[in-house]
Amino acid sequence: SMSAQDRRVCPGTRLSRLASDNETKSESGVPEVPVPADDTPEVLNKALSGLSSRWKNWWVRGILTPAMISFFFIIIYLGPMVLMMIVLCIQIKCFHEIITIGYSVYHSYHLPWFRTLSWYFLLCVNYFFYGETVTDYFFTLVQREEPLRILSKYHRFISFALYLTGFCMFVLSLVKKHYRLQFYMFGWTHVTLLIVVTQSHLIIHNLFEGMIWFIVPISCVICNDIMAYMFGFFFGRTPLIKLSPKKTWEGFIGGFFATIVFGILLSYVMSGYRFFVCPVEFNNDSNSFTVDCKPSELFQLQDYGLPPVLQSITVKLYPFQIHSIALSAFASIMGPFGGFFASGFKRAFKIKDFANTIPGHGGIMDRFDCQYLMATFVNVYIASFIRGPNPSKVIQQLLALRPDQQLHIFNSLKAHLTEKGLLPLLEEAA
């Protein structure tokens, strides 16, 4: 017969087993995303047919990586406007890849309007962010054109009205049997917007601060990705994290030091060119972007003394090179966590890559999982340690005021400067 103690223990045991069974069923009940077919070019497949999958992947990556880097250089040469368009295209593609995974997982439920609403919300969010950017960086142009001035004045109200329309459409699309699933997908869309659209918009903000703030961080992430792969491929022995079994401590550490050196050298080369260091501004006379200015102290060579142990040796460095160490360190230490996050996401849905857009590399999102996190850090870093008040923007705002308001500000500013002794006394001027 069963003792009283056994009877007390068994219900808890049965409950834990039941919970474990339910969890197993829940995990096994998650629909799997269809595995995309191998899209490696047939020429490469034939040429590399005798190699193991490990070395085949090595050669495919090795061939296509220089091609992608060359394409990146071409885009940089074409200027900031083309860069912005490419960022927008990449954003749309990344959004498409993530939404497609959601649709593939839950397509059997035939949720009404899921794809339509997802793309509608993407349109609304882009309208809001790009409208804010146009108002901020094209202020004079906006004030000059009456339709743009009206759209700018009521921009946030229009954006909210557009979003509210989508919100009402979602509520009207709810189906009784699929309430929970539809809210899952509603959250899926909004988290995707937060991760992809918001952070890609920060990339454009970084670009307006100067192309160097766009190129160096992206290049550091690319360098770290390549060097970590190289060190891990040849020397990797110690696993780094369970989410990414192929990642090793040897690759992580080797990529860190290689990226620091690369960041310092690249910053030194780019800091000497106005095309890279000058903020991207809109010229009202030519109606085009300009990147010509007098470089700030951040991009002027200065003497730095080394520790006394080295007999007071001085070296000439650009101050930006010091900042590049912080950018490189973040790209090497924290940047990979964007990749780990993406790996966890893919494991949750039992997929290898977000898509098969780039042979040997997966989808666009697979290449930009670290870039979005890096863009957010750069934007926060500039706002915290670099950017100061912008006189040109203050003047633009003053010119938009009524004449009596401008006169009041003028008199207040004149009195303040006179009090500080920066202008002759009002009495002497009279």
Side-chain angles (χ1 to χ4, degrees):
S1 61
M2 186 180 296
S3 66
Q5 183 177 0
D6 292 337
R7 285 195 297 270
R8 287 195 299 271
V9 172
C10 284
T13 305
R14 287 196 297 270
L15 287 174
S16 63
R17 287 177 180 175
L18 180 61
S20 177
D21 292 342
N22 289 338
E23 183 178 355
T24 303
K25 290 179 182 178
S26 175
E27 288 183 359
S28 61
V30 175
E32 295 187 22
V33 179
V35 179
D38 182 17
D39 65 341
T40 305
E42 189 64 27
V43 177
L44 285 179
N45 275 329
K46 289 182 178 180
L48 305 175
S49 59
L51 299 177
S52 64
S53 59
R54 183 170 181 260
W55 279 101
K56 179 182 177 182
N57 185 59
W58 160 267
W59 280 107
V60 171
R61 281 174 171 254
I63 293 171
L64 293 178
T65 296
M68 290 190 292
I69 293 176
S70 301
F71 179 66
F72 181 59
F73 286 145
I74 294 172
I75 295 172
I76 293 172
Y77 174 77
L78 294 176
M81 195 65 187
V82 175
L83 278 173
M84 292 178 203
M85 296 304 298
I86 292 296
V87 170
L88 177 61
C89 293
I90 289 173
Q91 173 215 114
I92 294 173
K93 179 57 180 171
C94 290
F95 182 84
H96 170 259
E97 291 178 358
I98 298 178
I99 290 298
T100 299
I101 292 175
Y103 184 78
S104 299
V105 170
Y106 299 110
H107 72 282
S108 59
Y109 293 93
H110 303 291
L111 297 180
W113 299 1
F114 167 59
R115 274 192 167 178
T116 302
L117 283 175
S118 296
W119 287 102
Y120 177 80
F121 282 126
L122 175 67
L123 177 66
C124 292
V125 174
N126 271 313
Y127 175 80
F128 171 74
F129 280 125
Y130 279 92
E132 293 283 312
T133 301
V134 168
T135 303
D136 195 19
Y137 291 99
F138 303 86
F139 185 83
T140 306
L141 176 64
V142 169
Q143 293 300 315
R144 194 171 62 195
E145 302 292 337
E146 184 65 19
L148 292 178
R149 189 180 65 80
I150 295 174
L151 287 174
S152 174
K153 183 178 180 180
Y154 302 106
H155 171 67
R156 295 193 177 185
F157 180 80
I158 296 172
S159 300
F160 177 72
L162 290 172
Y163 179 82
L164 198 61
T165 301
F167 178 79
C168 293
M169 290 170 62
F170 168 74
V171 174
L172 293 174
S173 71
L174 291 173
V175 179
K176 186 176 182 180
K177 294 182 179 180
H178 301 309
Y179 286 156
R180 181 178 296 181
L181 186 62
Q182 286 181 285
F183 277 102
Y184 282 160
M185 301 313 298
F186 184 77
W188 182 293
T189 300
H190 281 67
V191 171
T192 304
L193 292 172
L194 177 65
I195 293 174
V196 175
V197 182
T198 304
Q199 296 189 90
S200 67
H201 181 70
L202 296 180
I203 294 177
I204 294 178
H205 269 238
N206 299 340
L207 180 60
F208 274 105
E209 296 294 329
M211 291 182 65
I212 195 170
W213 291 104
F214 172 85
I215 298 172
V216 169
I218 286 181
S219 300
C220 285
V221 172
I222 294 173
C223 173
N224 181 70
D225 190 39
I226 294 173
M227 298 310 297
Y229 178 78
M230 297 275 288
F231 277 95
F233 187 88
F234 289 107
F235 309 109
R237 297 291 183 273
T238 313
L240 177 63
I241 187 171
K242 291 182 179 180
L243 281 174
S244 296
K246 294 182 180 180
K247 298 289 192 301
T248 63
W249 274 105
E250 291 80 3
F252 184 80
I253 296 172
F256 171 79
F257 287 106
T259 305
I260 294 292
V261 174
F262 172 81
I264 293 175
L265 295 177
L266 180 63
S267 299
Y268 180 82
V269 173
M270 296 185 66
S271 294
Y273 296 91
R274 293 186 179 185
F275 178 75
F276 296 122
V277 304
C278 290
V280 179
E281 296 180 345
F282 185 75
N283 189 314
N284 296 306
D285 298 328
S286 60
N287 287 331
S288 62
F289 288 103
T290 59
V291 285
D292 188 25
C293 68
K294 180 182 178 182
S296 65
E297 293 183 358
L298 200 62
F299 305 106
Q300 296 179 12
L301 283 171
Q302 298 182 17
D303 292 329
Y304 287 90
L306 296 179
V309 180
L310 300 176
Q311 299 179 352
S312 301
I313 298 175
T314 60
V315 294
K316 284 187 175 294
L317 295 173
Y318 292 102
F320 181 80
Q321 289 180 269
I322 309 299
H323 295 289
S324 74
I325 297 176
L327 301 179
S328 301
F330 185 89
S332 304
I333 299 174
M334 300 305 300
F337 279 84
F340 300 152
F341 177 86
S343 296
F345 180 89
K346 289 182 285 188
R347 280 178 170 271
F349 295 98
K350 302 175 183 179
I351 57 176
K352 180 182 179 182
D353 298 309
F354 283 95
N356 57 359
T357 308
I358 310 171
H361 292 268
I364 299 296
M365 191 64 199
D366 289 286
R367 294 299 92 207
F368 279 82
D369 47 12
C370 303
Q371 297 288 3
Y372 285 127
L373 186 62
M374 186 71 192
T376 304
F377 170 73
V378 173
N379 191 268
V380 172
Y381 189 87
I382 292 173
S384 302
F385 304 108
I386 305 297
R387 185 190 296 131
N390 191 330
S392 62
K393 291 185 179 180
V394 174
I395 292 175
Q396 289 176 354
Q397 293 174 347
L398 289 176
L399 293 176
L401 299 176
R402 299 193 310 268
D404 60 316
Q405 294 174 324
Q406 294 178 1
L407 187 60
H408 174 72
I409 293 176
F410 170 77
N411 290 329
S412 300
L413 182 60
K414 184 176 181 181
H416 174 74
L417 294 176
T418 302
E419 183 182 349
K420 293 291 185 179
L422 299 176
L423 289 178
L425 295 177
L426 294 176
E427 294 80 3
E428 295 178 0

